[in-house]
PDB file of all heavy atoms in Angstrom:
ATOM      1  N   TRP A   1       0.829  -1.206   0.000  1.00 88.00           N
ATOM      2  CA  TRP A   1       0.000   0.000   0.000  1.00 88.00           C
ATOM      3  C   TRP A   1       0.865   1.258   0.000  1.00 88.00           C
ATOM      4  O   TRP A   1       0.604   2.204  -0.754  1.00 88.00           O
ATOM      5  CB  TRP A   1      -0.915  -0.017   1.218  1.00 88.00           C
ATOM      6  CG  TRP A   1      -1.673   1.258   1.399  1.00 88.00           C
ATOM      7  CD1 TRP A   1      -1.519   2.171   2.399  1.00 88.00           C
ATOM      8  CD2 TRP A   1      -2.693   1.783   0.546  1.00 88.00           C
ATOM      9  NE1 TRP A   1      -2.383   3.228   2.228  1.00 88.00           N
ATOM     10  CE2 TRP A   1      -3.109   3.011   1.094  1.00 88.00           C
ATOM     11  CE3 TRP A   1      -3.287   1.328  -0.631  1.00 88.00           C
ATOM     12  CZ2 TRP A   1      -4.089   3.799   0.508  1.00 88.00           C
ATOM     13  CZ3 TRP A   1      -4.278   2.115  -1.212  1.00 88.00           C
ATOM     14  CH2 TRP A   1      -4.675   3.329  -0.642  1.00 88.00           C
ATOM     15  N   ASP A   2       1.904   1.277   0.825  1.00 91.00           N
ATOM     16  CA  ASP A   2       2.803   2.432   0.873  1.00 91.00           C
ATOM     17  C   ASP A   2       3.456   2.673  -0.486  1.00 91.00           C
ATOM     18  O   ASP A   2       3.581   3.818  -0.940  1.00 91.00           O
ATOM     19  CB  ASP A   2       3.886   2.227   1.936  1.00 91.00           C
ATOM     20  CG  ASP A   2       3.333   2.305   3.351  1.00 91.00           C
ATOM     21  OD1 ASP A   2       2.219   2.856   3.518  1.00 91.00           O
ATOM     22  OD2 ASP A   2       3.993   1.793   4.270  1.00 91.00           O
ATOM     23  N   GLU A   3       3.865   1.579  -1.117  1.00 92.00           N
ATOM     24  CA  GLU A   3       4.509   1.720  -2.430  1.00 92.00           C
ATOM     25  C   GLU A   3       3.520   2.213  -3.483  1.00 92.00           C
ATOM     26  O   GLU A   3       3.865   3.030  -4.342  1.00 92.00           O
ATOM     27  CB  GLU A   3       5.120   0.384  -2.862  1.00 92.00           C
ATOM     28  CG  GLU A   3       5.972   0.501  -4.108  1.00 92.00           C
ATOM     29  CD  GLU A   3       6.817  -0.729  -4.372  1.00 92.00           C
ATOM     30  OE1 GLU A   3       6.560  -1.777  -3.749  1.00 92.00           O
ATOM     31  OE2 GLU A   3       7.731  -0.645  -5.209  1.00 92.00           O
ATOM     32  N   LEU A   4       2.285   1.748  -3.413  1.00 89.00           N
ATOM     33  CA  LEU A   4       1.259   2.210  -4.352  1.00 89.00           C
ATOM     34  C   LEU A   4       1.051   3.712  -4.243  1.00 89.00           C
ATOM     35  O   LEU A   4       0.821   4.394  -5.254  1.00 89.00           O
ATOM     36  CB  LEU A   4      -0.059   1.476  -4.093  1.00 89.00           C
ATOM     37  CG  LEU A   4      -0.330   0.223  -4.925  1.00 89.00           C
ATOM     38  CD1 LEU A   4      -1.582  -0.471  -4.427  1.00 89.00           C
ATOM     39  CD2 LEU A   4      -0.455   0.550  -6.398  1.00 89.00           C
ATOM     40  N   GLN A   5       1.087   4.247  -3.025  1.00 90.00           N
ATOM     41  CA  GLN A   5       0.891   5.676  -2.858  1.00 90.00           C
ATOM     42  C   GLN A   5       2.010   6.468  -3.520  1.00 90.00           C
ATOM     43  O   GLN A   5       1.778   7.537  -4.100  1.00 90.00           O
ATOM     44  CB  GLN A   5       0.778   6.030  -1.372  1.00 90.00           C
ATOM     45  CG  GLN A   5      -0.335   5.310  -0.635  1.00 90.00           C
ATOM     46  CD  GLN A   5      -1.581   5.119  -1.487  1.00 90.00           C
ATOM     47  OE1 GLN A   5      -2.232   6.078  -1.898  1.00 90.00           O
ATOM     48  NE2 GLN A   5      -1.917   3.870  -1.767  1.00 90.00           N
ATOM     49  N   ARG A   6       3.245   5.955  -3.443  1.00 93.00           N
ATOM     50  CA  ARG A   6       4.361   6.623  -4.119  1.00 93.00           C
ATOM     51  C   ARG A   6       4.180   6.569  -5.632  1.00 93.00           C
ATOM     52  O   ARG A   6       4.464   7.550  -6.337  1.00 93.00           O
ATOM     53  CB  ARG A   6       5.694   5.981  -3.710  1.00 93.00           C
ATOM     54  CG  ARG A   6       6.090   6.245  -2.259  1.00 93.00           C
ATOM     55  CD  ARG A   6       7.524   5.853  -2.000  1.00 93.00           C
ATOM     56  NE  ARG A   6       7.725   4.408  -2.088  1.00 93.00           N
ATOM     57  CZ  ARG A   6       7.561   3.577  -1.069  1.00 93.00           C
ATOM     58  NH1 ARG A   6       7.200   4.053   0.122  1.00 93.00           N
ATOM     59  NH2 ARG A   6       7.766   2.279  -1.211  1.00 93.00           N
ATOM     60  N   ILE A   7       3.714   5.421  -6.119  1.00 94.00           N
ATOM     61  CA  ILE A   7       3.508   5.272  -7.554  1.00 94.00           C
ATOM     62  C   ILE A   7       2.402   6.208  -8.038  1.00 94.00           C
ATOM     63  O   ILE A   7       2.531   6.898  -9.057  1.00 94.00           O
ATOM     64  CB  ILE A   7       3.150   3.808  -7.885  1.00 94.00           C
ATOM     65  CG1 ILE A   7       4.345   2.892  -7.625  1.00 94.00           C
ATOM     66  CG2 ILE A   7       2.684   3.677  -9.341  1.00 94.00           C
ATOM     67  CD1 ILE A   7       4.021   1.414  -7.684  1.00 94.00           C
ATOM     68  N   ARG A   8       1.300   6.272  -7.274  1.00 91.00           N
ATOM     69  CA  ARG A   8       0.157   7.089  -7.689  1.00 91.00           C
ATOM     70  C   ARG A   8       0.438   8.581  -7.571  1.00 91.00           C
ATOM     71  O   ARG A   8      -0.284   9.387  -8.145  1.00 91.00           O
ATOM     72  CB  ARG A   8      -1.076   6.708  -6.860  1.00 91.00           C
ATOM     73  CG  ARG A   8      -1.624   5.342  -7.237  1.00 91.00           C
ATOM     74  CD  ARG A   8      -2.828   5.012  -6.416  1.00 91.00           C
ATOM     75  NE  ARG A   8      -3.317   3.669  -6.739  1.00 91.00           N
ATOM     76  CZ  ARG A   8      -3.820   2.844  -5.854  1.00 91.00           C
ATOM     77  NH1 ARG A   8      -3.918   3.206  -4.589  1.00 91.00           N
ATOM     78  NH2 ARG A   8      -4.252   1.648  -6.224  1.00 91.00           N
ATOM     79  N   ALA A   9       1.463   8.954  -6.830  1.00 93.00           N
ATOM     80  CA  ALA A   9       1.847  10.365  -6.800  1.00 93.00           C
ATOM     81  C   ALA A   9       2.323  10.823  -8.177  1.00 93.00           C
ATOM     82  O   ALA A   9       2.224  12.003  -8.522  1.00 93.00           O
ATOM     83  CB  ALA A   9       2.951  10.576  -5.761  1.00 93.00           C
ATOM     84  N   VAL A  10       2.827   9.889  -8.984  1.00 94.00           N
ATOM     85  CA  VAL A  10       3.274  10.192 -10.348  1.00 94.00           C
ATOM     86  C   VAL A  10       2.202   9.798 -11.358  1.00 94.00           C
ATOM     87  O   VAL A  10       1.754  10.613 -12.168  1.00 94.00           O
ATOM     88  CB  VAL A  10       4.592   9.454 -10.669  1.00 94.00           C
ATOM     89  CG1 VAL A  10       5.004   9.707 -12.125  1.00 94.00           C
ATOM     90  CG2 VAL A  10       5.686   9.885  -9.717  1.00 94.00           C
ATOM     91  N   PHE A  11       1.765   8.541 -11.286  1.00 93.00           N
ATOM     92  CA  PHE A  11       0.745   8.045 -12.218  1.00 93.00           C
ATOM     93  C   PHE A  11      -0.629   8.221 -11.581  1.00 93.00           C
ATOM     94  O   PHE A  11      -1.242   7.267 -11.098  1.00 93.00           O
ATOM     95  CB  PHE A  11       1.016   6.575 -12.570  1.00 93.00           C
ATOM     96  CG  PHE A  11       2.323   6.367 -13.282  1.00 93.00           C
ATOM     97  CD1 PHE A  11       3.213   5.403 -12.869  1.00 93.00           C
ATOM     98  CD2 PHE A  11       2.665   7.165 -14.362  1.00 93.00           C
ATOM     99  CE1 PHE A  11       4.417   5.215 -13.522  1.00 93.00           C
ATOM    100  CE2 PHE A  11       3.870   6.989 -15.021  1.00 93.00           C
ATOM    101  CZ  PHE A  11       4.754   6.016 -14.608  1.00 93.00           C
ATOM    102  N   ASN A  12      -1.090   9.459 -11.595  1.00 91.00           N
ATOM    103  CA  ASN A  12      -2.328   9.811 -10.907  1.00 91.00           C
ATOM    104  C   ASN A  12      -3.506   9.973 -11.848  1.00 91.00           C
ATOM    105  O   ASN A  12      -4.550  10.480 -11.463  1.00 91.00           O
ATOM    106  CB  ASN A  12      -2.132  11.107 -10.110  1.00 91.00           C
ATOM    107  CG  ASN A  12      -1.608  12.241 -10.991  1.00 91.00           C
ATOM    108  OD1 ASN A  12      -1.573  12.124 -12.207  1.00 91.00           O
ATOM    109  ND2 ASN A  12      -1.191  13.314 -10.354  1.00 91.00           N
ATOM    110  N   ASP A  13      -3.350   9.542 -13.097  1.00 92.00           N
ATOM    111  CA  ASP A  13      -4.432   9.669 -14.076  1.00 92.00           C
ATOM    112  C   ASP A  13      -4.313   8.536 -15.082  1.00 92.00           C
ATOM    113  O   ASP A  13      -3.208   8.269 -15.590  1.00 92.00           O
ATOM    114  CB  ASP A  13      -4.328  11.029 -14.789  1.00 92.00           C
ATOM    115  CG  ASP A  13      -5.575  11.361 -15.587  1.00 92.00           C
ATOM    116  OD1 ASP A  13      -5.895  10.599 -16.527  1.00 92.00           O
ATOM    117  OD2 ASP A  13      -6.229  12.376 -15.284  1.00 92.00           O
ATOM    118  N   PRO A  14      -5.423   7.847 -15.398  1.00 91.00           N
ATOM    119  CA  PRO A  14      -5.343   6.734 -16.357  1.00 91.00           C
ATOM    120  C   PRO A  14      -5.043   7.195 -17.764  1.00 91.00           C
ATOM    121  O   PRO A  14      -4.674   6.398 -18.625  1.00 91.00           O
ATOM    122  CB  PRO A  14      -6.735   6.100 -16.267  1.00 91.00           C
ATOM    123  CG  PRO A  14      -7.625   7.211 -15.815  1.00 91.00           C
ATOM    124  CD  PRO A  14      -6.787   8.032 -14.886  1.00 91.00           C
ATOM    125  N   GLY A  15      -5.186   8.524 -18.028  1.00 93.00           N
ATOM    126  CA  GLY A  15      -4.944   9.036 -19.368  1.00 93.00           C
ATOM    127  C   GLY A  15      -3.509   9.460 -19.622  1.00 93.00           C
ATOM    128  O   GLY A  15      -3.197   9.988 -20.701  1.00 93.00           O
ATOM    129  N   ILE A  16      -2.607   9.242 -18.668  1.00 95.00           N
ATOM    130  CA  ILE A  16      -1.194   9.579 -18.877  1.00 95.00           C
ATOM    131  C   ILE A  16      -0.629   8.748 -20.031  1.00 95.00           C
ATOM    132  O   ILE A  16      -0.811   7.530 -20.093  1.00 95.00           O
ATOM    133  CB  ILE A  16      -0.385   9.327 -17.590  1.00 95.00           C
ATOM    134  CG1 ILE A  16      -0.691  10.405 -16.555  1.00 95.00           C
ATOM    135  CG2 ILE A  16       1.117   9.284 -17.873  1.00 95.00           C
ATOM    136  CD1 ILE A  16      -0.041  10.174 -15.205  1.00 95.00           C
ATOM    137  N   VAL A  17       0.053   9.423 -20.953  1.00 95.00           N
ATOM    138  CA  VAL A  17       0.696   8.757 -22.089  1.00 95.00           C
ATOM    139  C   VAL A  17       2.206   8.798 -21.870  1.00 95.00           C
ATOM    140  O   VAL A  17       2.778   9.871 -21.622  1.00 95.00           O
ATOM    141  CB  VAL A  17       0.339   9.449 -23.423  1.00 95.00           C
ATOM    142  CG1 VAL A  17       1.076   8.771 -24.587  1.00 95.00           C
ATOM    143  CG2 VAL A  17      -1.168   9.409 -23.652  1.00 95.00           C
ATOM    144  N   LEU A  18       2.841   7.652 -21.950  1.00 96.00           N
ATOM    145  CA  LEU A  18       4.287   7.556 -21.776  1.00 96.00           C
ATOM    146  C   LEU A  18       4.973   7.351 -23.122  1.00 96.00           C
ATOM    147  O   LEU A  18       4.432   6.711 -24.021  1.00 96.00           O
ATOM    148  CB  LEU A  18       4.631   6.384 -20.853  1.00 96.00           C
ATOM    149  CG  LEU A  18       4.201   6.497 -19.388  1.00 96.00           C
ATOM    150  CD1 LEU A  18       4.455   5.180 -18.674  1.00 96.00           C
ATOM    151  CD2 LEU A  18       4.930   7.627 -18.688  1.00 96.00           C
ATOM    152  N   ARG A  19       6.169   7.905 -23.221  1.00 95.00           N
ATOM    153  CA  ARG A  19       6.997   7.632 -24.401  1.00 95.00           C
ATOM    154  C   ARG A  19       8.415   7.333 -23.937  1.00 95.00           C
ATOM    155  O   ARG A  19       8.822   7.715 -22.836  1.00 95.00           O
ATOM    156  CB  ARG A  19       6.992   8.824 -25.348  1.00 95.00           C
ATOM    157  CG  ARG A  19       7.626  10.088 -24.786  1.00 95.00           C
ATOM    158  CD  ARG A  19       7.451  11.249 -25.731  1.00 95.00           C
ATOM    159  NE  ARG A  19       7.928  12.498 -25.118  1.00 95.00           N
ATOM    160  CZ  ARG A  19       7.578  13.697 -25.535  1.00 95.00           C
ATOM    161  NH1 ARG A  19       6.723  13.820 -26.552  1.00 95.00           N
ATOM    162  NH2 ARG A  19       8.050  14.778 -24.941  1.00 95.00           N
ATOM    163  N   ARG A  20       9.154   6.665 -24.784  1.00 95.00           N
ATOM    164  CA  ARG A  20      10.517   6.313 -24.434  1.00 95.00           C
ATOM    165  C   ARG A  20      11.455   7.498 -24.672  1.00 95.00           C
ATOM    166  O   ARG A  20      11.227   8.313 -25.558  1.00 95.00           O
ATOM    167  CB  ARG A  20      10.990   5.117 -25.264  1.00 95.00           C
ATOM    168  CG  ARG A  20      10.142   3.874 -25.068  1.00 95.00           C
ATOM    169  CD  ARG A  20      10.768   2.686 -25.757  1.00 95.00           C
ATOM    170  NE  ARG A  20       9.813   1.609 -25.917  1.00 95.00           N
ATOM    171  CZ  ARG A  20      10.115   0.400 -26.371  1.00 95.00           C
ATOM    172  NH1 ARG A  20      11.354   0.132 -26.731  1.00 95.00           N
ATOM    173  NH2 ARG A  20       9.185  -0.517 -26.479  1.00 95.00           N
ATOM    174  N   THR A  21      12.504   7.536 -23.885  1.00 95.00           N
ATOM    175  CA  THR A  21      13.564   8.523 -24.095  1.00 95.00           C
ATOM    176  C   THR A  21      14.722   7.827 -24.800  1.00 95.00           C
ATOM    177  O   THR A  21      14.628   6.660 -25.189  1.00 95.00           O
ATOM    178  CB  THR A  21      14.031   9.102 -22.753  1.00 95.00           C
ATOM    179  OG1 THR A  21      14.686   8.068 -21.994  1.00 95.00           O
ATOM    180  CG2 THR A  21      12.858   9.635 -21.951  1.00 95.00           C
ATOM    181  N   SER A  22      15.812   8.519 -24.932  1.00 95.00           N
ATOM    182  CA  SER A  22      16.992   7.909 -25.569  1.00 95.00           C
ATOM    183  C   SER A  22      17.727   6.965 -24.633  1.00 95.00           C
ATOM    184  O   SER A  22      18.609   6.222 -25.064  1.00 95.00           O
ATOM    185  CB  SER A  22      17.950   9.013 -26.045  1.00 95.00           C
ATOM    186  OG  SER A  22      18.348   9.816 -24.948  1.00 95.00           O
ATOM    187  N   ARG A  23      17.356   6.978 -23.363  1.00 94.00           N
ATOM    188  CA  ARG A  23      18.035   6.126 -22.391  1.00 94.00           C
ATOM    189  C   ARG A  23      17.599   4.673 -22.570  1.00 94.00           C
ATOM    190  O   ARG A  23      16.414   4.378 -22.719  1.00 94.00           O
ATOM    191  CB  ARG A  23      17.740   6.601 -20.970  1.00 94.00           C
ATOM    192  CG  ARG A  23      18.480   5.837 -19.888  1.00 94.00           C
ATOM    193  CD  ARG A  23      18.496   6.603 -18.584  1.00 94.00           C
ATOM    194  NE  ARG A  23      19.234   7.873 -18.715  1.00 94.00           N
ATOM    195  CZ  ARG A  23      19.445   8.710 -17.704  1.00 94.00           C
ATOM    196  NH1 ARG A  23      18.968   8.428 -16.492  1.00 94.00           N
ATOM    197  NH2 ARG A  23      20.116   9.826 -17.886  1.00 94.00           N
ATOM    198  N   VAL A  24      18.540   3.772 -22.535  1.00 91.00           N
ATOM    199  CA  VAL A  24      18.276   2.337 -22.724  1.00 91.00           C
ATOM    200  C   VAL A  24      17.921   1.706 -21.379  1.00 91.00           C
ATOM    201  O   VAL A  24      18.560   1.998 -20.359  1.00 91.00           O
ATOM    202  CB  VAL A  24      19.518   1.630 -23.322  1.00 91.00           C
ATOM    203  CG1 VAL A  24      19.265   0.132 -23.478  1.00 91.00           C
ATOM    204  CG2 VAL A  24      19.885   2.260 -24.656  1.00 91.00           C
ATOM    205  N   PRO A  25      16.893   0.839 -21.342  1.00 89.00           N
ATOM    206  CA  PRO A  25      16.550   0.163 -20.079  1.00 89.00           C
ATOM    207  C   PRO A  25      17.720  -0.660 -19.564  1.00 89.00           C
ATOM    208  O   PRO A  25      18.523  -1.190 -20.345  1.00 89.00           O
ATOM    209  CB  PRO A  25      15.376  -0.744 -20.477  1.00 89.00           C
ATOM    210  CG  PRO A  25      14.827  -0.150 -21.720  1.00 89.00           C
ATOM    211  CD  PRO A  25      15.983   0.468 -22.437  1.00 89.00           C
ATOM    212  N   PRO A  26      17.860  -0.772 -18.249  1.00 87.00           N
ATOM    213  CA  PRO A  26      18.930  -1.600 -17.677  1.00 87.00           C
ATOM    214  C   PRO A  26      18.849  -3.037 -18.196  1.00 87.00           C
ATOM    215  O   PRO A  26      17.754  -3.555 -18.438  1.00 87.00           O
ATOM    216  CB  PRO A  26      18.659  -1.541 -16.170  1.00 87.00           C
ATOM    217  CG  PRO A  26      17.856  -0.289 -15.975  1.00 87.00           C
ATOM    218  CD  PRO A  26      17.031  -0.148 -17.212  1.00 87.00           C
ATOM    219  N   PRO A  27      19.991  -3.713 -18.370  1.00 86.00           N
ATOM    220  CA  PRO A  27      19.993  -5.087 -18.894  1.00 86.00           C
ATOM    221  C   PRO A  27      19.117  -6.040 -18.086  1.00 86.00           C
ATOM    222  O   PRO A  27      18.471  -6.918 -18.648  1.00 86.00           O
ATOM    223  CB  PRO A  27      21.474  -5.496 -18.829  1.00 86.00           C
ATOM    224  CG  PRO A  27      22.220  -4.201 -18.839  1.00 86.00           C
ATOM    225  CD  PRO A  27      21.352  -3.214 -18.134  1.00 86.00           C
ATOM    226  N   GLU A  28      19.077  -5.855 -16.745  1.00 84.00           N
ATOM    227  CA  GLU A  28      18.288  -6.775 -15.920  1.00 84.00           C
ATOM    228  C   GLU A  28      16.794  -6.640 -16.208  1.00 84.00           C
ATOM    229  O   GLU A  28      16.041  -7.610 -16.054  1.00 84.00           O
ATOM    230  CB  GLU A  28      18.551  -6.531 -14.429  1.00 84.00           C
ATOM    231  CG  GLU A  28      18.241  -5.135 -13.927  1.00 84.00           C
ATOM    232  CD  GLU A  28      19.423  -4.190 -14.020  1.00 84.00           C
ATOM    233  OE1 GLU A  28      20.342  -4.482 -14.809  1.00 84.00           O
ATOM    234  OE2 GLU A  28      19.422  -3.181 -13.303  1.00 84.00           O
ATOM    235  N   VAL A  29      16.367  -5.468 -16.654  1.00 81.00           N
ATOM    236  CA  VAL A  29      14.962  -5.288 -17.026  1.00 81.00           C
ATOM    237  C   VAL A  29      14.646  -6.085 -18.279  1.00 81.00           C
ATOM    238  O   VAL A  29      13.632  -6.786 -18.356  1.00 81.00           O
ATOM    239  CB  VAL A  29      14.640  -3.789 -17.245  1.00 81.00           C
ATOM    240  CG1 VAL A  29      13.256  -3.621 -17.870  1.00 81.00           C
ATOM    241  CG2 VAL A  29      14.715  -3.047 -15.919  1.00 81.00           C
ATOM    242  N   LEU A  30      15.508  -5.996 -19.279  1.00 79.00           N
ATOM    243  CA  LEU A  30      15.265  -6.696 -20.538  1.00 79.00           C
ATOM    244  C   LEU A  30      15.387  -8.209 -20.386  1.00 79.00           C
ATOM    245  O   LEU A  30      14.843  -8.952 -21.199  1.00 79.00           O
ATOM    246  CB  LEU A  30      16.241  -6.184 -21.602  1.00 79.00           C
ATOM    247  CG  LEU A  30      16.088  -4.691 -21.944  1.00 79.00           C
ATOM    248  CD1 LEU A  30      17.111  -4.280 -22.991  1.00 79.00           C
ATOM    249  CD2 LEU A  30      14.678  -4.387 -22.430  1.00 79.00           C
ATOM    250  N   ARG A  31      16.080  -8.656 -19.335  1.00 83.00           N
ATOM    251  CA  ARG A  31      16.163 -10.103 -19.102  1.00 83.00           C
ATOM    252  C   ARG A  31      14.911 -10.633 -18.422  1.00 83.00           C
ATOM    253  O   ARG A  31      14.648 -11.837 -18.458  1.00 83.00           O
ATOM    254  CB  ARG A  31      17.400 -10.431 -18.250  1.00 83.00           C
ATOM    255  CG  ARG A  31      18.721 -10.342 -19.012  1.00 83.00           C
ATOM    256  CD  ARG A  31      19.833 -11.009 -18.225  1.00 83.00           C
ATOM    257  NE  ARG A  31      20.116 -10.328 -16.969  1.00 83.00           N
ATOM    258  CZ  ARG A  31      21.015  -9.361 -16.822  1.00 83.00           C
ATOM    259  NH1 ARG A  31      21.723  -8.968 -17.869  1.00 83.00           N
ATOM    260  NH2 ARG A  31      21.211  -8.791 -15.652  1.00 83.00           N
ATOM    261  N   ASN A  32      14.163  -9.764 -17.783  1.00 84.00           N
ATOM    262  CA  ASN A  32      12.919 -10.161 -17.129  1.00 84.00           C
ATOM    263  C   ASN A  32      11.791 -10.135 -18.166  1.00 84.00           C
ATOM    264  O   ASN A  32      11.478  -9.083 -18.727  1.00 84.00           O
ATOM    265  CB  ASN A  32      12.611  -9.188 -15.983  1.00 84.00           C
ATOM    266  CG  ASN A  32      11.364  -9.558 -15.214  1.00 84.00           C
ATOM    267  OD1 ASN A  32      10.272  -9.581 -15.763  1.00 84.00           O
ATOM    268  ND2 ASN A  32      11.522  -9.821 -13.932  1.00 84.00           N
TER     269      ASN A  32
END
């Protein structure tokens, strides 16, 4: 629950649109 509140402080609307930046995801993310 505590972690959800931190997340919702940023993602506080279902209409938020995300796009990628030039930064590459960490290798451990792509392995998951």
Side-chain angles (χ1 to χ4, degrees):
W1 173 248
D2 289 341
E3 188 167 14
L4 266 173
Q5 302 323 296
R6 291 192 292 272
I7 292 170
R8 289 180 183 143
V10 176
F11 297 131
N12 54 10
D13 193 298
I16 286 175
V17 177
L18 293 172
R19 65 186 174 199
R20 300 188 197 187
T21 67
S22 59
R23 184 162 296 183
V24 178
E28 59 270 20
V29 170
L30 297 179
R31 285 194 295 269
N32 182 298

